Amino acid sequence: GVGISAVALPLRAQQLMPAQDLRPLIRGVAGDLPPRPGRIRLTLPQLAENGNSVPLVVSVESPMTPPDHVTAIAIFNERNPERDVARFALGPRSGLARVSMRIRLATSQRLVAVARTSDGAYWSDAIDVVVVLAACIEGES
């Protein structure tokens, strides 16, 4: 399978943005085809003790054969300064449609994953994560 590890760059608390509508980013990936629920699963702890390093896994049900495979996965979040978390290109030689990484979460928020399959369909999943100790909050002098 494809295993990718990444940690987002540190964020400063004053850069935290209010929650934003992720639909424009999703449209940027899927165009006018609204992604359907199903086939894709976004897994994160729903309660993160510390937002500095939260494990994230995206998996998509697919045989990953030349005629039927996942071609791309995109992950978005609504409250970090960078909304576009990661994008992955996959193909039948990937073996599994699964990516994993660690993400820094500035605060509690919703994350959305979108997958494109070789037949041109788009699938999505979303999860709300509550962050107990927000990442990126620095003490004041």
Side-chain angles (χ1 to χ4, degrees), residues 19-94:
Q20 288 194 356
D21 184 359
L22 295 176
R23 287 180 291 192
L25 285 171
I26 294 168
R27 269 194 303 277
V29 169
D32 292 331
L33 294 173
R36 296 179 282 180
R39 288 191 70 178
I40 185 171
R41 180 176 169 99
L42 177 59
T43 307
L44 281 94
Q46 289 187 292
L47 179 65
E49 290 286 327
N50 184 330
N52 283 315
S53 182
V54 180
L56 175 151
V57 177
V58 180
S59 55
V60 186
E61 294 173 27
S62 172
M64 295 303 283
T65 60
D68 185 3
H69 61 275
V70 175
T71 61
I73 296 173
I75 306 165
F76 306 106
N77 69 73
E78 68 179 6
R79 295 190 67 121
N80 282 359
E82 281 296 322
R83 304 289 192 267
D84 199 332
V85 175
R87 295 185 189 211
F88 302 94
L90 291 88
R93 297 180 90 187
S94 298

